[in-house]
Coordinates of all heavy atoms in Angstrom, one line a residue:
L1 N 0.9 -1.2 0.0 CA 0.0 0.0 0.0 C 0.9 1.3 0.1 O 0.5 2.2 -0.7 CB -0.9 0.0 1.2 CG -2.1 -1.0 1.1 CD1 -2.9 -1.0 2.5 CD2 -3.0 -0.6 0.0
S2 N 2.0 1.2 0.7 CA 2.9 2.3 0.8 C 3.4 2.7 -0.7 O 3.6 3.9 -1.0 CB 4.0 2.2 1.7 OG 4.9 1.2 1.3
I3 N 3.8 1.6 -1.4 CA 4.3 1.9 -2.8 C 3.2 2.6 -3.6 O 3.5 3.5 -4.4 CB 4.6 0.5 -3.4 CG1 5.8 0.0 -2.7 CG2 5.0 0.7 -4.9 CD1 6.2 -1.4 -3.1
L4 N 1.9 2.1 -3.5 CA 0.9 2.7 -4.3 C 0.5 4.1 -3.8 O 0.3 5.0 -4.7 CB -0.4 1.8 -4.1 CG -0.4 0.4 -4.8 CD1 -1.6 -0.4 -4.4 CD2 -0.5 0.6 -6.3
V5 N 0.6 4.4 -2.6 CA 0.3 5.7 -2.1 C 1.4 6.7 -2.5 O 1.1 7.8 -3.0 CB 0.3 5.7 -0.5 CG1 0.2 7.2 0.0 CG2 -1.0 5.0 -0.1
I6 N 2.7 6.3 -2.4 CA 3.7 7.1 -2.9 C 3.6 7.4 -4.4 O 3.8 8.5 -4.9 CB 5.2 6.6 -2.5 CG1 5.4 6.7 -1.1 CG2 6.3 7.4 -3.3 CD1 6.5 6.0 -0.6
G7 N 3.4 6.3 -5.2 CA 3.2 6.5 -6.6 C 2.0 7.4 -7.0 O 2.1 8.2 -7.9
F8 N 0.9 7.3 -6.2 CA -0.3 8.1 -6.5 C 0.0 9.6 -6.2 O -0.2 10.5 -7.0 CB -1.4 7.6 -5.7 CG -2.6 8.5 -5.8 CD1 -3.5 8.6 -6.9 CD2 -3.0 9.4 -4.7 CE1 -4.5 9.5 -6.9 CE2 -4.1 10.2 -4.8 CZ -4.9 10.2 -5.9
L9 N 0.7 9.8 -5.0 CA 1.0 11.2 -4.7 C 2.1 11.8 -5.6 O 2.0 13.0 -6.0 CB 1.6 11.2 -3.3 CG 0.6 11.0 -2.1 CD1 1.4 10.9 -0.7 CD2 -0.4 12.0 -2.1
S10 N 2.9 11.0 -6.0 CA 4.0 11.5 -7.1 C 3.3 11.9 -8.4 O 3.6 12.9 -9.0 CB 5.0 10.4 -7.5 OG 5.8 10.1 -6.2
F11 N 2.2 11.1 -8.8 CA 1.5 11.5 -10.0 C 0.7 12.7 -9.8 O 0.7 13.6 -10.7 CB 0.6 10.3 -10.4 CG -0.2 10.5 -11.7 CD1 0.4 10.5 -12.8 CD2 -1.5 11.0 -11.5 CE1 -0.3 10.7 -14.1 CE2 -2.2 11.3 -12.7 CZ -1.7 11.1 -14.0
V12 N 0.1 12.9 -8.6 CA -0.7 14.1 -8.4 C 0.2 15.4 -8.3 O -0.1 16.4 -8.9 CB -1.4 14.0 -6.9 CG1 -2.1 15.3 -6.6 CG2 -2.5 12.9 -7.1
I13 N 1.4 15.2 -7.6 CA 2.3 16.3 -7.6 C 3.0 16.7 -8.8 O 3.1 17.9 -9.2 CB 3.4 16.0 -6.5 CG1 2.9 15.8 -5.2 CG2 4.6 17.0 -6.6 CD1 3.8 15.3 -4.1
R14 N 3.3 15.6 -9.7 CA 3.9 16.0 -10.9 C 3.6 15.0 -12.0 O 4.3 14.0 -12.3 CB 5.5 15.9 -10.8 CG 6.2 16.6 -11.9 CD 7.8 16.8 -11.6 NE 8.4 17.5 -12.7 CZ 8.7 17.0 -13.9 NH1 8.4 15.8 -14.2 NH2 9.3 17.8 -14.8
P15 N 2.3 15.0 -12.5 CA 1.9 14.1 -13.6 C 2.6 14.0 -14.9 O 2.7 13.1 -15.5 CB 0.4 14.6 -13.8 CG 0.5 16.0 -13.4 CD 1.4 16.2 -12.3
S16 N 3.4 15.1 -15.1 CA 4.2 15.1 -16.4 C 5.4 14.1 -16.4 O 6.0 13.8 -17.3 CB 4.8 16.5 -16.7 OG 5.5 17.0 -15.5
T17 N 5.7 13.6 -15.1 CA 6.8 12.7 -15.0 C 6.5 11.4 -15.9 O 7.5 10.9 -16.5 CB 6.9 12.3 -13.5 OG1 7.4 13.4 -12.8 CG2 8.0 11.1 -13.4
F18 N 5.3 10.9 -15.8 CA 5.0 9.8 -16.6 C 5.3 9.9 -18.1 O 5.7 8.9 -18.7 CB 3.5 9.4 -16.4 CG 3.1 8.1 -17.1 CD1 3.4 6.9 -16.6 CD2 2.3 8.2 -18.2 CE1 3.0 5.8 -17.3 CE2 1.8 7.0 -18.8 CZ 2.2 5.8 -18.3
L19 N 5.1 11.1 -18.6 CA 5.4 11.4 -20.0 C 6.9 11.3 -20.4 O 7.3 11.3 -21.6 CB 4.8 12.7 -20.4 CG 3.3 12.9 -20.2 CD1 2.9 14.3 -20.7 CD2 2.5 11.8 -21.1
Q20 N 7.8 11.3 -19.3 CA 9.2 11.4 -19.6 C 9.7 9.9 -19.9 O 10.9 9.9 -20.4 CB 9.9 12.0 -18.3 CG 9.7 13.5 -18.1 CD 10.4 14.0 -17.0 OE1 9.8 14.6 -16.0 NE2 11.7 13.7 -16.8
F21 N 8.8 9.0 -19.8 CA 9.3 7.7 -20.0 C 8.9 7.2 -21.4 O 7.9 7.8 -22.0 CB 8.6 6.6 -19.0 CG 9.1 6.8 -17.6 CD1 8.5 7.6 -16.7 CD2 10.2 6.0 -17.1 CE1 9.0 7.6 -15.4 CE2 10.6 6.0 -15.9 CZ 10.0 6.9 -15.0
G22 N 9.7 6.3 -22.0 CA 9.3 5.8 -23.3 C 8.2 4.8 -23.3 O 7.6 4.5 -22.2
G23 N 7.7 4.3 -24.4 CA 6.6 3.4 -24.6 C 6.6 2.1 -23.7 O 5.7 1.9 -23.0
L24 N 7.8 1.4 -23.7 CA 7.9 0.3 -23.1 C 7.9 0.5 -21.5 O 7.4 -0.3 -20.8 CB 9.2 -0.5 -23.4 CG 9.6 -1.8 -22.6 CD1 8.4 -2.8 -22.8 CD2 10.8 -2.3 -23.1

């Protein structure tokens, strides 16, 4: 649950991070 919470908060704080990764 802690991994999911940190991942969710990271996405809320900076959603553009996900776009920095490639397709795979």
